[in-house]
Amino acid sequence: MAELSGLQIFKYLPGAKKAEHTNCKECGCPTCMAFAIKLAKHQIDIEKCNYVTDDLKDIFAQHSKQPQKTIEINGVKIGGENVLYRHEKTFINKTALAVIVNLNDKNWKEKFEKIKNFEIHKINENIKIDLIITQNGKLDNCIKYEDLKNLPLVEIIDENFQSTANKLIEIRKKAVLEKDENYSSPTCVYFKHTNDLYSLCAKASYYICKYANMLIFEDFDENLFNALISLRQNIFTDPQKPLQVESKVYEFNNPDENSIIFLTTNFALTFFAVANELESLPVPSYLIVTPADGMSVLTAWSAEKFTAKMVAKTLKNFKLAEKVKTRKIIIPGLLAHMKDELEEEIQNENLDFEIVVGTIDAFSIGDFVKNFKP
Ligand code: SF4
């Protein structure tokens, strides 16, 4: 049962029937249609309109029911999903990855330390194993396996791939499509020890895609988790939200006051492409990353998220002029048309930087720098 759209809600409001109170604004919205659209997005309380019928209240409550419960285990949220496919809306909580430490095993301490210290860095994020679950005892900051049993969580012991996959699909479909409360608990798959890590990786990958909310492993292998975390990041990243990095001045190869200065936006892909090149240059450099809602340079420019005024203000805020003697800032070649405007706004902020048009592609930065005089 999908959520109601604004149009479906509107049909029940006075505005659709041209009845008394049409567009009366008492709800704080300019029209009934505006109220309907806000209500569909859960941005306004249905009670704000005194003329909503009981019919609409019932239907709205029915359609707005959360298909899946959200539960929190040691600060890690799982479940709360509303859709079968990410493109329908978005996924809410990524599949948690948990590892068992059995305190009866003679090597448990070594395993525990390895899990605790495991960390990978991906697109501006440091990622660790989400949960350590203990068996036969308790450790600080870990959850006991027995305690998981008290949570509203459906555990599937992975004995057979097809049967586990079928159960996961059935539960998610019943929860999302039928809003069947008997299927509203998050799911978790338990993997017993195996020597076949390839098959474990393949199965776990499938269950991340469809539709496990948590995976519990008796085995811990760094390569396995590297692969699963990369996959999970791809599945659970919301494509509607551009990946962005922090807007600040980044330093490469220990720059000093005479080092060259580049400038770009905070779109993650652009940043990493440029940062890779700057890291491998034989000279130190700065990279000014301007805030642009994670948009690439041309998109940001056309959406007015990269205007000369904004760039000049960012430079002023970063106080770079006080830190360096270099007075040339290299902008992406795609923004060549902004050179004069940028220089004018920079002067308006009482800064004396000169704008130099750089390369269109990040991979040409090396050649550009060879002939560049700061
Ligand atoms: Fe329409 Fe109700 Fe808002 Fe009046 S209070 S504008 S009837 S939605």
Side-chain angles (χ1 to χ4, degrees):
M1 200 182 296
E3 296 223 14
L4 290 177
S5 68
L7 211 55
Q8 284 168 318
I9 292 172
F10 177 69
K11 285 183 194 158
Y12 291 87
L13 295 174
K17 301 167 197 155
K18 305 259 182 292
E20 203 186 344
H21 308 296
T22 290
N23 301 335
C24 69
K25 302 186 179 58
E26 286 175 33
C27 56
C29 299
T31 60
C32 293
M33 180 55 99
F35 174 82
I37 291 169
K38 272 195 163 186
L39 186 58
K41 293 181 184 164
H42 298 270
Q43 292 171 344
I44 196 164
D45 188 344
I46 194 165
E47 300 295 340
K48 290 267 178 199
C49 170
N50 294 321
Y51 314 108
V52 163
T53 59
D54 288 344
D55 271 2
L56 176 57
K57 281 185 188 167
D58 288 349
I59 293 169
F60 184 70
Q62 196 61 22
H63 282 261
S64 305
K65 252 188 352 192
Q66 264 307 106
Q68 195 181 46
K69 292 184 191 111
T70 303
I71 59 175
E72 197 168 329
I73 311 168
N74 274 8
V76 177
K77 280 189 183 165
I78 62 168
E81 301 301 341
N82 300 301
V83 291
L84 293 179
Y85 307 106
R86 185 182 66 177
H87 62 259
E88 292 175 72
K89 206 169 187 182
T90 184
F91 288 145
I92 309 291
N93 292 307
K94 54 192 175 195
T95 308
L97 301 177
V99 185
I100 293 281
V101 172
N102 186 337
L103 303 192
N104 282 354
D105 286 348
K106 66 175 191 309
N107 295 328
W108 75 263
K109 273 191 187 152
E110 199 187 314
K111 182 180 180 185
F112 178 67
E113 285 304 313
K114 257 176 140 182
I115 302 168
K116 230 174 51 173
N117 296 329
F118 174 82
E119 183 171 78
I120 57 174
H121 184 79
K122 282 199 175 283
I123 318 184
N124 234 14
E125 221 188 321
N126 289 326
I127 307 169
K128 295 178 79 71
I129 297 299
D130 300 299
L131 290 164
I132 302 178
I133 300 171
T134 56
Q135 283 174 337
N136 299 308
K138 185 168 166 44
L139 291 173
D140 283 352
N141 303 322
C142 300
I143 178 153
K144 279 163 67 185
Y145 183 62
E146 295 86 324
D147 291 344
L148 280 184
K149 304 278 177 198
N150 299 326
L151 298 171
L153 189 63
V154 177
E155 186 187 49
I156 303 165
I157 308 286
D158 184 59
E159 308 280 4
N160 169 286
F161 167 70
Q162 199 58 60
S163 131
T164 305
N166 288 348
K167 274 185 207 155
L168 289 169
I169 292 169
E170 186 197 2
I171 292 171
R172 178 66 66 88
K173 280 191 168 174
K174 290 263 188 200
V176 170
L177 301 179
E178 296 174 29
K179 298 209 172 163
D180 185 333
E181 283 174 10
N182 297 316
Y183 293 85
S184 63
S185 294
T187 52
C188 112
V189 177
Y190 188 108
F191 294 104
K192 290 184 182 159
H193 167 66
T194 173
N195 290 323
D196 185 358
L197 289 180
Y198 289 115
S199 136
L200 178 61
C201 186
K203 289 199 287 182
S205 301
Y206 186 91
Y207 303 152
I208 285 176
C209 298
K210 285 185 173 183
Y211 288 109
N213 299 106
M214 175 157 83
L215 299 178
I216 302 177
F217 299 82
E218 287 190 354
D219 294 296
F220 177 70
D221 178 89
E222 296 191 349
N223 294 328
L224 169 72
F225 283 94
N226 252 312
L228 295 180
I229 286 168
S230 299
L231 170 76
R232 183 181 69 169
Q233 199 171 28
N234 281 308
I235 302 295
F236 284 86
T237 301
D238 187 345
Q240 296 170 75
K241 291 187 194 147
L243 284 177
Q244 43 187 294
V245 296
E246 190 187 348
S247 166
K248 63 176 192 177
V249 180
Y250 291 80
E251 300 187 351
F252 298 91
N253 307 325
N254 303 316
D256 59 22
E257 56 187 19
N258 297 312
S259 299
I260 48 178
I261 307 169
F262 290 83
L263 182 143
T264 190
T265 68
N266 68 340
F267 178 44
L269 284 184
T270 306
F271 171 81
F272 287 111
V274 176
N276 272 345
E277 294 301 323
L278 299 188
E279 251 164 25
S280 57
L281 286 181
V283 293
S285 59
Y286 294 99
L287 176 60
I288 303 166
V289 171
T290 63
D293 286 352
M295 292 181 195
S296 60
V297 287
L298 266 192
T299 316
W301 170 73
S302 52
E304 302 204 338
K305 298 284 178 192
F306 188 97
T307 65
K309 251 194 177 58
M310 288 158 95
V311 173
K313 287 229 169 331
T314 305
L315 288 179
K316 184 136 199 159
N317 292 343
F318 288 163
K319 297 191 169 90
L320 195 67
E322 297 162 25
K323 207 169 156 186
V324 295
K325 285 188 185 157
T326 323
R327 281 296 174 261
K328 288 181 181 170
I329 294 178
I330 304 160
I331 61 166
L334 285 171
L335 299 174
H337 58 279
M338 289 184 75
K339 179 179 169 15
D340 294 344
E341 202 189 338
L342 275 167
E343 282 179 338
E344 199 181 312
E345 288 299 339
I346 285 171
Q347 272 175 22
N348 290 345
E349 291 289 345
N350 294 322
L351 299 170
D352 57 349
F353 287 112
E354 179 191 331
I355 293 296
V356 176
V357 176
T359 61
I360 288 180
D361 300 299
F363 65 79
S364 314
I365 288 176
D367 285 341
F368 174 87
V369 165
K370 279 184 203 155
N371 305 311
F372 179 71
K373 296 204 172 34

